[in-house]
Amino acid sequence: MIKLIKSTFHREAETRRALAEFVLRADMLSMGEQCRTFEQAFALRQGRRHAVFVGNGSVANLLLVQALLNEGRLRRGDRVGFSALTWPTNVMPLLQLGLEPVPVDCALDTLNVSPDTLEPCVAGLRALFLTNVLGFCDDLPALRVMCEDHGVLLLEDNCEALGSRTAGTQLGNFSLASTFSFFVGHHLSTVEGGMVCTDDDELHERLVVSRAHGWDRDLPPERRARLRAEAGVDDFHARYTFHDLASNFRPTELNGFIGNRQLRHWDEIVETRAAHFARFSQAMAGNADFHPYDLSHMDLVSNFAMPVVCRTPELAGKYRAEFEAAGVEIRPVVAGDITRQPFYRRHVRDAPACPVAGLVHGNGFYFGNNPDLTGDETAVLCELLGG
Ligand SMILES: Cc1ncc(COP(=O)(O)O)c(C=O)c1O
């Protein structure tokens, strides 16, 4: 069986051993030094000023939207665009926090929102929460300019695209803020884990406060002192003073410890997946049964699952059956067209049609792209892709 997820960690055995030793000797297992170190190292590696570590990618999205509401940069009822082809917990925070989600279709050759698909709905958006789907992107520099021209806050859900690059820049660095997931099977695994990155000091403060109950104790001393002065609280009451709407989205030291270990393998993980992606792309290239991708604008594509979009539903049925018969675990391409999901229909009436996301929903599937795929496994996958 070629499973979607082959292991919990990169360098599984040594990571588990190191984790066991850490648990035995650590004084404290709730969020502390390991998490702070991971945040700083991740921010540096990603090339962002701030990184805020949280329990998973889904709450990274929820926290980001909550922090923007707390800051007043988003207001309840604002229209927020999102990629119709995405994961549910990209759009769920918009519904949960009282924003109006506006689905934006994807382009067939990149599976991502493009300037052309954004154009008809950009006017009237307050923000665009873009997903960089499966390590791919469309013309991100042009999308950024379009958002700037229309006064739209650009946010990136980069949970599927760590390490991919376009226009000389890592995905996740084109926006006001970006989110990451460290769930098992993603590029970096901390078992469960997520991150919000931003270069904006004010937003960073809001994120830190909203991550843990709304209190200020995780802020640097000078920012904590300012908030306390603004709230007019004495030192005693400051210990339990809650400045803004929040929840508890914290990770643990176990996640932080694993993150610090896995970060050492960033290049190896990203590059091995990129090399597999290149092989899969080559194998698909001669097969007219699939819609081809055009990712020539990207410097590096690294994904954790390889999407395949067939030209007809019949071909999709044929290839899904062949992959499964060969023992390959497959799934729909992310959550397909989100506007077709039951939760979306229950909460949103009259969603506009997203024909390309619909086609991917109907005719697509993906299989895992793990760094530890063996040569034999990649050969089997390439043969299947060749048709
Ligand atoms: C685009 C996207 N956003 C958010 C998430 C949620 O991340 P997590 O599984 O860490 O909650 C995922 C998960 O795969 C995802 O693909």
PDB file of all heavy atoms in Angstrom, residues 210-227:
ATOM      1  N   SER A 210      -4.779  37.276  21.576  1.00  0.00           N
ATOM      2  CA  SER A 210      -5.965  36.463  21.257  1.00  0.00           C
ATOM      3  C   SER A 210      -5.672  34.966  21.307  1.00  0.00           C
ATOM      4  O   SER A 210      -6.585  34.152  21.341  1.00  0.00           O
ATOM      5  CB  SER A 210      -6.496  36.816  19.864  1.00  0.00           C
ATOM      6  OG  SER A 210      -6.742  38.188  19.790  1.00  0.00           O
ATOM      7  N   ARG A 211      -4.394  34.586  21.274  1.00  0.00           N
ATOM      8  CA  ARG A 211      -4.049  33.160  21.324  1.00  0.00           C
ATOM      9  C   ARG A 211      -4.318  32.562  22.702  1.00  0.00           C
ATOM     10  O   ARG A 211      -4.603  31.378  22.838  1.00  0.00           O
ATOM     11  CB  ARG A 211      -2.567  32.968  20.984  1.00  0.00           C
ATOM     12  CG  ARG A 211      -2.086  31.545  21.243  1.00  0.00           C
ATOM     13  CD  ARG A 211      -0.650  31.346  20.898  1.00  0.00           C
ATOM     14  NE  ARG A 211       0.241  32.263  21.588  1.00  0.00           N
ATOM     15  CZ  ARG A 211       1.550  32.291  21.415  1.00  0.00           C
ATOM     16  NH1 ARG A 211       2.106  31.452  20.564  1.00  0.00           N
ATOM     17  NH2 ARG A 211       2.299  33.164  22.057  1.00  0.00           N
ATOM     18  N   ALA A 212      -4.199  33.366  23.739  1.00  0.00           N
ATOM     19  CA  ALA A 212      -4.302  32.818  25.093  1.00  0.00           C
ATOM     20  C   ALA A 212      -5.203  33.696  25.944  1.00  0.00           C
ATOM     21  O   ALA A 212      -4.729  34.631  26.591  1.00  0.00           O
ATOM     22  CB  ALA A 212      -2.921  32.688  25.720  1.00  0.00           C
ATOM     23  N   HIS A 213      -6.481  33.428  25.916  1.00  0.00           N
ATOM     24  CA  HIS A 213      -7.474  33.984  26.840  1.00  0.00           C
ATOM     25  C   HIS A 213      -7.720  35.480  26.724  1.00  0.00           C
ATOM     26  O   HIS A 213      -8.620  35.992  27.361  1.00  0.00           O
ATOM     27  CB  HIS A 213      -7.101  33.665  28.297  1.00  0.00           C
ATOM     28  CG  HIS A 213      -6.781  32.223  28.529  1.00  0.00           C
ATOM     29  ND1 HIS A 213      -7.737  31.243  28.504  1.00  0.00           N
ATOM     30  CD2 HIS A 213      -5.602  31.590  28.751  1.00  0.00           C
ATOM     31  CE1 HIS A 213      -7.175  30.054  28.717  1.00  0.00           C
ATOM     32  NE2 HIS A 213      -5.879  30.232  28.857  1.00  0.00           N
ATOM     33  N   GLY A 214      -6.878  36.186  25.950  1.00  0.00           N
ATOM     34  CA  GLY A 214      -7.008  37.641  25.887  1.00  0.00           C
ATOM     35  C   GLY A 214      -6.104  38.342  26.884  1.00  0.00           C
ATOM     36  O   GLY A 214      -6.190  39.554  27.050  1.00  0.00           O
ATOM     37  N   TRP A 215      -5.220  37.570  27.569  1.00  0.00           N
ATOM     38  CA  TRP A 215      -4.310  38.223  28.514  1.00  0.00           C
ATOM     39  C   TRP A 215      -3.031  38.657  27.822  1.00  0.00           C
ATOM     40  O   TRP A 215      -2.764  38.268  26.682  1.00  0.00           O
ATOM     41  CB  TRP A 215      -4.053  37.378  29.750  1.00  0.00           C
ATOM     42  CG  TRP A 215      -3.315  36.063  29.571  1.00  0.00           C
ATOM     43  CD1 TRP A 215      -2.367  35.737  28.651  1.00  0.00           C
ATOM     44  CD2 TRP A 215      -3.484  34.897  30.391  1.00  0.00           C
ATOM     45  NE1 TRP A 215      -1.939  34.463  28.836  1.00  0.00           N
ATOM     46  CE2 TRP A 215      -2.584  33.912  29.901  1.00  0.00           C
ATOM     47  CE3 TRP A 215      -4.277  34.579  31.502  1.00  0.00           C
ATOM     48  CZ2 TRP A 215      -2.478  32.649  30.473  1.00  0.00           C
ATOM     49  CZ3 TRP A 215      -4.159  33.319  32.066  1.00  0.00           C
ATOM     50  CH2 TRP A 215      -3.272  32.365  31.552  1.00  0.00           C
ATOM     51  N   ASP A 216      -2.217  39.445  28.589  1.00  0.00           N
ATOM     52  CA  ASP A 216      -1.053  40.089  27.962  1.00  0.00           C
ATOM     53  C   ASP A 216       0.264  39.420  28.313  1.00  0.00           C
ATOM     54  O   ASP A 216       1.321  39.881  27.918  1.00  0.00           O
ATOM     55  CB  ASP A 216      -1.010  41.567  28.369  1.00  0.00           C
ATOM     56  CG  ASP A 216      -0.941  41.752  29.885  1.00  0.00           C
ATOM     57  OD1 ASP A 216      -0.406  40.869  30.572  1.00  0.00           O
ATOM     58  OD2 ASP A 216      -1.449  42.783  30.371  1.00  0.00           O
ATOM     59  N   ARG A 217       0.229  38.314  29.064  1.00  0.00           N
ATOM     60  CA  ARG A 217       1.483  37.847  29.665  1.00  0.00           C
ATOM     61  C   ARG A 217       2.496  37.276  28.678  1.00  0.00           C
ATOM     62  O   ARG A 217       3.659  37.123  29.026  1.00  0.00           O
ATOM     63  CB  ARG A 217       1.215  36.870  30.812  1.00  0.00           C
ATOM     64  CG  ARG A 217       0.719  35.526  30.425  1.00  0.00           C
ATOM     65  CD  ARG A 217       0.651  34.627  31.648  1.00  0.00           C
ATOM     66  NE  ARG A 217      -0.374  35.070  32.604  1.00  0.00           N
ATOM     67  CZ  ARG A 217      -0.879  34.282  33.539  1.00  0.00           C
ATOM     68  NH1 ARG A 217      -0.471  33.045  33.660  1.00  0.00           N
ATOM     69  NH2 ARG A 217      -1.810  34.724  34.361  1.00  0.00           N
ATOM     70  N   ASP A 218       2.070  37.009  27.461  1.00  0.00           N
ATOM     71  CA  ASP A 218       3.042  36.479  26.493  1.00  0.00           C
ATOM     72  C   ASP A 218       3.659  37.578  25.618  1.00  0.00           C
ATOM     73  O   ASP A 218       4.436  37.285  24.712  1.00  0.00           O
ATOM     74  CB  ASP A 218       2.367  35.417  25.605  1.00  0.00           C
ATOM     75  CG  ASP A 218       1.769  34.304  26.445  1.00  0.00           C
ATOM     76  OD1 ASP A 218       2.505  33.776  27.312  1.00  0.00           O
ATOM     77  OD2 ASP A 218       0.573  33.985  26.291  1.00  0.00           O
ATOM     78  N   LEU A 219       3.297  38.832  25.911  1.00  0.00           N
ATOM     79  CA  LEU A 219       3.841  39.950  25.117  1.00  0.00           C
ATOM     80  C   LEU A 219       5.212  40.357  25.653  1.00  0.00           C
ATOM     81  O   LEU A 219       5.501  40.155  26.847  1.00  0.00           O
ATOM     82  CB  LEU A 219       2.913  41.164  25.220  1.00  0.00           C
ATOM     83  CG  LEU A 219       1.585  41.094  24.471  1.00  0.00           C
ATOM     84  CD1 LEU A 219       0.734  42.310  24.837  1.00  0.00           C
ATOM     85  CD2 LEU A 219       1.818  41.042  22.963  1.00  0.00           C
ATOM     86  N   PRO A 220       6.048  40.979  24.820  1.00  0.00           N
ATOM     87  CA  PRO A 220       7.295  41.561  25.334  1.00  0.00           C
ATOM     88  C   PRO A 220       6.954  42.616  26.399  1.00  0.00           C
ATOM     89  O   PRO A 220       5.886  43.251  26.316  1.00  0.00           O
ATOM     90  CB  PRO A 220       7.918  42.230  24.109  1.00  0.00           C
ATOM     91  CG  PRO A 220       7.202  41.669  22.921  1.00  0.00           C
ATOM     92  CD  PRO A 220       5.866  41.195  23.386  1.00  0.00           C
ATOM     93  N   PRO A 221       7.858  42.811  27.391  1.00  0.00           N
ATOM     94  CA  PRO A 221       7.536  43.655  28.565  1.00  0.00           C
ATOM     95  C   PRO A 221       7.000  45.042  28.227  1.00  0.00           C
ATOM     96  O   PRO A 221       6.040  45.508  28.853  1.00  0.00           O
ATOM     97  CB  PRO A 221       8.866  43.750  29.307  1.00  0.00           C
ATOM     98  CG  PRO A 221       9.673  42.595  28.819  1.00  0.00           C
ATOM     99  CD  PRO A 221       9.179  42.214  27.473  1.00  0.00           C
ATOM    100  N   GLU A 222       7.588  45.708  27.228  1.00  0.00           N
ATOM    101  CA  GLU A 222       7.158  47.103  26.976  1.00  0.00           C
ATOM    102  C   GLU A 222       5.736  47.143  26.407  1.00  0.00           C
ATOM    103  O   GLU A 222       4.947  48.035  26.740  1.00  0.00           O
ATOM    104  CB  GLU A 222       8.172  47.868  26.110  1.00  0.00           C
ATOM    105  CG  GLU A 222       8.396  47.415  24.687  1.00  0.00           C
ATOM    106  CD  GLU A 222       9.150  46.084  24.539  1.00  0.00           C
ATOM    107  OE1 GLU A 222       9.656  45.530  25.542  1.00  0.00           O
ATOM    108  OE2 GLU A 222       9.194  45.577  23.397  1.00  0.00           O
ATOM    109  N   ARG A 223       5.391  46.146  25.593  1.00  0.00           N
ATOM    110  CA  ARG A 223       4.034  46.140  25.032  1.00  0.00           C
ATOM    111  C   ARG A 223       3.024  45.741  26.106  1.00  0.00           C
ATOM    112  O   ARG A 223       1.896  46.230  26.140  1.00  0.00           O
ATOM    113  CB  ARG A 223       3.973  45.213  23.818  1.00  0.00           C
ATOM    114  CG  ARG A 223       4.682  45.885  22.632  1.00  0.00           C
ATOM    115  CD  ARG A 223       5.254  44.912  21.676  1.00  0.00           C
ATOM    116  NE  ARG A 223       4.278  44.477  20.704  1.00  0.00           N
ATOM    117  CZ  ARG A 223       4.510  43.546  19.788  1.00  0.00           C
ATOM    118  NH1 ARG A 223       5.683  42.956  19.741  1.00  0.00           N
ATOM    119  NH2 ARG A 223       3.595  43.203  18.934  1.00  0.00           N
ATOM    120  N   ARG A 224       3.454  44.850  27.005  1.00  0.00           N
ATOM    121  CA  ARG A 224       2.592  44.449  28.125  1.00  0.00           C
ATOM    122  C   ARG A 224       2.315  45.670  29.013  1.00  0.00           C
ATOM    123  O   ARG A 224       1.181  45.939  29.385  1.00  0.00           O
ATOM    124  CB  ARG A 224       3.333  43.367  28.918  1.00  0.00           C
ATOM    125  CG  ARG A 224       2.487  42.650  29.906  1.00  0.00           C
ATOM    126  CD  ARG A 224       3.168  41.376  30.349  1.00  0.00           C
ATOM    127  NE  ARG A 224       4.504  41.617  30.874  1.00  0.00           N
ATOM    128  CZ  ARG A 224       5.521  40.766  30.791  1.00  0.00           C
ATOM    129  NH1 ARG A 224       5.367  39.601  30.208  1.00  0.00           N
ATOM    130  NH2 ARG A 224       6.697  41.062  31.293  1.00  0.00           N
ATOM    131  N   ALA A 225       3.367  46.433  29.287  1.00  0.00           N
ATOM    132  CA  ALA A 225       3.225  47.607  30.163  1.00  0.00           C
ATOM    133  C   ALA A 225       2.267  48.623  29.527  1.00  0.00           C
ATOM    134  O   ALA A 225       1.428  49.222  30.217  1.00  0.00           O
ATOM    135  CB  ALA A 225       4.592  48.242  30.407  1.00  0.00           C
ATOM    136  N   ARG A 226       2.380  48.790  28.225  1.00  0.00           N
ATOM    137  CA  ARG A 226       1.499  49.753  27.545  1.00  0.00           C
ATOM    138  C   ARG A 226       0.035  49.334  27.666  1.00  0.00           C
ATOM    139  O   ARG A 226      -0.831  50.132  28.005  1.00  0.00           O
ATOM    140  CB  ARG A 226       1.911  49.889  26.069  1.00  0.00           C
ATOM    141  CG  ARG A 226       1.092  50.934  25.317  1.00  0.00           C
ATOM    142  CD  ARG A 226       1.544  51.151  23.888  1.00  0.00           C
ATOM    143  NE  ARG A 226       1.708  49.967  23.081  1.00  0.00           N
ATOM    144  CZ  ARG A 226       0.721  49.203  22.630  1.00  0.00           C
ATOM    145  NH1 ARG A 226      -0.526  49.482  22.934  1.00  0.00           N
ATOM    146  NH2 ARG A 226       0.983  48.147  21.893  1.00  0.00           N
ATOM    147  N   LEU A 227      -0.227  48.038  27.419  1.00  0.00           N
ATOM    148  CA  LEU A 227      -1.612  47.557  27.512  1.00  0.00           C
ATOM    149  C   LEU A 227      -2.159  47.711  28.921  1.00  0.00           C
ATOM    150  O   LEU A 227      -3.309  48.092  29.127  1.00  0.00           O
ATOM    151  CB  LEU A 227      -1.697  46.079  27.112  1.00  0.00           C
ATOM    152  CG  LEU A 227      -1.867  45.717  25.647  1.00  0.00           C
ATOM    153  CD1 LEU A 227      -2.244  44.247  25.509  1.00  0.00           C
ATOM    154  CD2 LEU A 227      -2.937  46.568  24.965  1.00  0.00           C
TER     155      LEU A 227
END
